[in-house]
Amino acid sequence: MTILSGYLMPHPPVVISAVGHDQSKIVNATAQAMDQVGRQIAELAPEVIVVISPHGPLFSDAIAIRGEETLEGSLGSFGASEIHLKKQNAVGLVKALAEKAVEQNLPAVIFDRHLAKRFDVSGELDHGVIVPLSFVENHYQNYKLVEITYGLLPTDELYRFGQLLTACIEQQGLRAVIIASGDLSHKLKDSGPYRYDARGPEFDAWVIESFQNNDLVKVVTADEDLCEGAGECGKKSLDIMIGALDGLETTTRVLSYEGPFGVGYGVVALTDLKPSEQAKRFDDIVMGVQQRRLTRRNQEDSFVKLARAAIEAYVRQQKRIKLPEALKQTALGGPSKGVFVSIKSSGGLRGCIGTTIGTQKSLGEEIIHNAIQASTEDPRFPEIEPWELEQLAISVDVLSKGELVSGLEALDPKKYGVIVETDYRRGLLLPDLEGIDSAEEQIRIALNKAGIKEKEAYRIHRFTVERHI
């Protein structure tokens, strides 16, 4: 067996005493569990350790694999430059993996110093690699390293990449351990890095209980809205690692879980791997993902169904649909209003365009027009392609009439959207957006979108939305 084990390991620098100092004691359970993983890996003595990290060169449309012969980095940006890692890359495995990915139509790129310079990002190892491996290095150093940074790709593609990773490892006859580096929810407490969201503890419970029950399919097929609302960074790492364990029975142990700083830290060991036909999970993964998408579609209301129909017809056939006769007798056939259509994929926002007042003959026609615009004319993104259509989540916001307000005290970013304007410049921000928790931040972003400096005189309008999902 060439895959020896797999692990979920968090990467909070605070868990290392040289960074966290007294705070490290608060996450002692995590540190002890990570040390236990280091001891287990030392006993297995792998030739290669593959670490899947969220914090390397992250692309929306491709998986990045570090390509330099020597991989090096430190925790200097966290005040602990003495925590330093330098390892030889398993270059042969990297090249084979990239080549096979191209053959299998999986987007992957070898990321070397030339690409680092082109994209103006660091070519050094990130803390998503260094923190977990610091606990390995305490017990074992005789291995080559492969770092993979997941792309913002659909779940089933990440899973397939994991399967391909194992195929390449086996082809090269290597003994390997895989580490999925990732923290769980970042929204467990208001005192954490983000505002509390009930989906945070729900997501963490989903993942931990799934591992406790050795239900790896359930881990991978977690609802995308739940993952997004939790503000996690480990799910896609797990998608790849569990894909690499496809066809293998595992003994799964949750070694620790805690979240004292508002971020969930889970340490999980998947060991005692044995080939099994019953453990081939890919078909169940695909079915689970498809069922999740079908359920979402079935729950869409008439506003969202109309936007989706407009997008699909235009992307597939360059055809602009007309408002169906049956909908002309509903609110969609009534007076037009300001409408924003937002499109998301597994990689996050994929397009968002709208109007602040009605510009078409009816509300339904406004939705059709803006849905097509959002899918083809948002300058931040390339046009949506036909292969993406099944993965899209769509929402439609119908705007109320704007109301002039005197200052920030009249705003609430969860309830009100804002429009800032001066002269011919105008910026708009919808309400209840992920990561925007204060009126100050909401106004700052709206001003930036409008090209208005904070010291300039400007007017603020607030509005509410009727959100359809």
Side-chain angles (χ1 to χ4, degrees), residues 108-251:
V109 61
I110 295 179
F111 193 88
D112 56 18
R113 63 178 179 274
H114 301 296
L115 280 183
K117 184 177 181 180
R118 175 182 171 187
F119 289 100
D120 193 26
V121 299
S122 172
E124 294 190 345
L125 292 173
D126 56 271
H127 71 280
V129 177
I130 296 172
V131 172
L133 288 185
S134 294
F135 289 87
V136 176
E137 287 281 312
N138 288 337
H139 306 285
Y140 181 67
Q141 302 87 35
N142 190 26
Y143 62 92
K144 290 185 177 181
L145 173 63
V146 171
E147 183 195 3
I148 295 170
T149 301
Y150 59 65
L152 303 181
L153 303 177
T155 300
D156 46 354
E157 289 194 12
L158 295 172
Y159 193 90
R160 281 205 301 130
F161 186 83
Q163 291 178 295
L164 191 63
L165 171 62
T166 293
C168 290
I169 289 170
E170 290 179 348
Q171 186 180 55
Q172 300 219 341
L174 297 169
R175 291 164 47 84
V177 163
I178 301 176
I179 296 174
S181 174
D183 299 334
L184 299 180
S185 174
H186 290 62
K187 298 183 178 182
L188 300 181
K189 299 178 179 179
D190 280 335
S191 58
Y194 300 102
R195 188 172 179 176
Y196 170 81
D197 190 304
R199 290 170 292 183
E202 183 182 352
F203 171 81
D204 284 14
W206 177 284
V207 171
I208 296 301
E209 290 173 9
S210 298
F211 275 127
Q212 289 172 335
N213 295 326
N214 202 18
D215 190 344
L216 304 189
V217 172
K218 188 176 179 182
V219 174
V220 175
T221 56
D223 182 77
E224 289 179 353
D225 289 337
L226 178 63
C227 298
E228 181 180 356
E232 50 76 34
C233 70
K235 169 63 166 54
K236 294 183 187 298
S237 294
L238 288 172
D239 291 344
I240 295 177
M241 182 185 74
I242 294 174
L245 301 181
D246 190 77
L248 299 172
E249 288 184 0
T250 70
T251 298

Side-chain angles (χ1 to χ4, degrees), residues 8-12 14-16 23-35 135 182-189 200-201 204-205 208 212 254-268:
L8 168 64
M9 296 182 76
H11 49 245
V14 70
V15 77
I16 295 175
Q23 283 192 313
S24 297
K25 299 175 184 178
I26 300 174
V27 287
N28 186 54
T30 297
Q32 288 186 347
M34 293 175 75
D35 185 71
F135 289 87
D183 299 334
L184 299 180
S185 174
H186 290 62
K187 298 183 178 182
L188 300 181
K189 299 178 179 179
D204 284 14
I208 296 301
Q212 289 172 335
V254 176
L255 303 181
S256 71
Y257 171 77
E258 58 184 348
F261 302 125
V263 180
Y265 305 137
V267 182
V268 180

Side-chain angles (χ1 to χ4, degrees), residues 47-51 64-72 85-98 109-113 123-125 129 133 141-149 165 172 174:
E47 298 166 271
V48 175
I49 297 180
V50 179
V51 181
I65 314 166
R66 294 275 188 191
E68 300 294 345
E69 290 191 4
T70 302
L71 304 177
E72 187 173 5
L85 185 67
K86 183 177 182 180
K87 307 300 293 187
Q88 290 300 302
N89 195 356
V91 176
L93 175 58
V94 167
K95 291 180 178 178
L97 183 56
V109 61
I110 295 179
F111 193 88
D112 56 18
R113 63 178 179 274
E124 294 190 345
L125 292 173
V129 177
L133 288 185
Q141 302 87 35
N142 190 26
Y143 62 92
K144 290 185 177 181
L145 173 63
V146 171
E147 183 195 3
I148 295 170
T149 301
L165 171 62
Q172 300 219 341
L174 297 169

